[in-house]
């Protein structure tokens, strides 16, 4: 056998092996893609959240987690308490939370089909606040200028409007407590 025939035979064998390898690789890729599409297909988890007296709970947070507590997806209940989450995850748990209600955790089993959780009931909780104090600014800017509101102490130690102005101590305003005269920048203010 001469060298040129051996070279041609080697190239044909190499091309045939390359084509066979490419076909095998193509089959493996198609199998992997179809396997992912079958096992990675989306499913829908849905249900209804309400009180034990069957009143729907609006805007309850529905959170889907993997078994290792990694957040996957979330949703809110609608005005009639229904929710729906579309996911490709097939195991984990749901956490249902809403202010004023106890939280509920539901473990999900591995499944390829949609999951109807039916009615989920949350119990009302009483969240009471301790004493709340609301405080406003004493000085408010408006289109008419500055408005200064007296504090409780300013009012407590005053017997008249002039005493309140004296206690507030506004720069540029002088109050003569003896004569009850008020001046602003040296000019008398009518009372």
């Amino acid at each position: 056998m001469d060298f040129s025939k051996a070279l041609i035979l080697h190239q044909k064998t190499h091309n045939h092996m390359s084509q066979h390898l490419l076909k095998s690789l193509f089959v493996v890729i198609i199998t992997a893609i179809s396997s992912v599409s079958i096992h990675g297909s989306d499913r829908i988890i849905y249900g209804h959240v309400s009180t034990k007296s069957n009143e729907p709970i609006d805007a309850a947070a529905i959170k889907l987690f993997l078994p290792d507590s990694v957040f996957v997806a979330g949703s809110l209940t609608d005005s009639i308490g229904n929710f729906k989450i579309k996911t490709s995850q097939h195991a984990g748990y749901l956490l249902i939370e809403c202010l004023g209600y106890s939280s509920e955790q539901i473990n999900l089993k591995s499944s390829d089909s949609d999951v109807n959780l039916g009615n989920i009931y949350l119990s009302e909780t009483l969240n009471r606040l301790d004493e709340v104090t609301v405080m406003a600014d004493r000085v408010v800017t408006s289109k008419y200028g500055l408005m200064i509101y007296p504090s409780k102490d300013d009012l407590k130690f005053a017997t008249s409007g002039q005493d309140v102005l004296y206690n507030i101590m506004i720069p540029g305003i002088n109050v003569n407590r003896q004569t009850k005269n008020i001046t602003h920048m040296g000019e008398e203010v009518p009372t």
Side-chain angles (χ1 to χ4, degrees):
M1 185 186 267
D2 69 355
F3 181 71
S4 61
K5 286 183 182 179
L7 185 59
I8 292 172
L9 182 62
H10 175 70
Q11 285 179 339
K12 284 183 181 179
T13 306
H14 181 69
N15 287 342
H16 179 66
M17 287 177 51
S18 295
Q19 286 178 351
H20 181 68
L21 183 63
L22 283 175
K23 285 180 184 177
S24 298
L25 185 60
F26 182 72
V27 168
V28 168
I29 290 173
I30 294 299
T31 305
I33 290 173
S34 64
S35 171
V36 167
S37 67
I38 290 171
H39 296 293
S41 62
D42 286 343
R43 71 177 179 157
I44 297 174
I45 301 169
Y46 59 99
H48 178 80
V49 179
S50 64
T51 64
K52 291 187 180 187
S53 59
N54 285 326
E55 294 177 35
I57 298 177
D58 182 19
I62 314 297
K63 301 174 190 172
L64 175 63
F65 294 92
L66 292 177
D68 60 357
S69 298
V70 173
F71 177 77
V72 175
S75 180
L76 292 175
T77 56
D78 60 17
S79 62
I80 56 174
N82 294 326
F83 71 90
K84 183 183 344 179
I85 295 179
K86 187 175 184 180
T87 181
S88 60
Q89 301 303 322
H90 295 273
Y93 64 93
L94 277 181
L95 184 62
I96 297 106
E97 298 176 312
C98 189
L99 186 63
Y101 297 92
S102 60
S103 298
E104 185 74 28
Q105 180 175 323
I106 299 172
N107 293 321
L108 302 172
K109 296 177 183 173
S110 184
S111 170
D112 289 334
S113 60
D114 292 347
V115 177
N116 180 359
L117 296 174
N119 289 325
I120 301 165
Y121 299 105
L122 299 183
S123 301
E124 290 186 58
T125 58
L126 296 177
N127 295 330
R128 294 185 184 210
L129 298 176
D130 291 335
E131 180 179 325
V132 176
T133 303
V134 178
M135 300 187 66
D137 287 340
R138 287 189 60 194
V139 180
V140 177
T141 305
S142 74
K143 65 180 180 180
Y144 303 109
L146 289 179
M147 294 190 295
I148 301 172
Y149 296 98
S151 69
K152 285 183 180 180
D153 288 337
D154 293 337
L155 296 172
K156 183 178 180 181
F157 299 108
T159 57
S160 67
Q162 288 89 354
D163 286 343
V164 173
L165 280 174
Y166 180 80
N167 293 341
I168 293 175
M169 293 188 222
I170 301 171
I173 294 182
N174 294 317
V175 178
N176 184 332
R177 295 177 80 186
Q178 303 292 336
T179 63
K180 305 287 187 191
N181 288 339
I182 302 170
T183 58
H184 178 257
M185 304 289 201
E187 295 184 25
E188 192 168 329
V189 176
T191 55

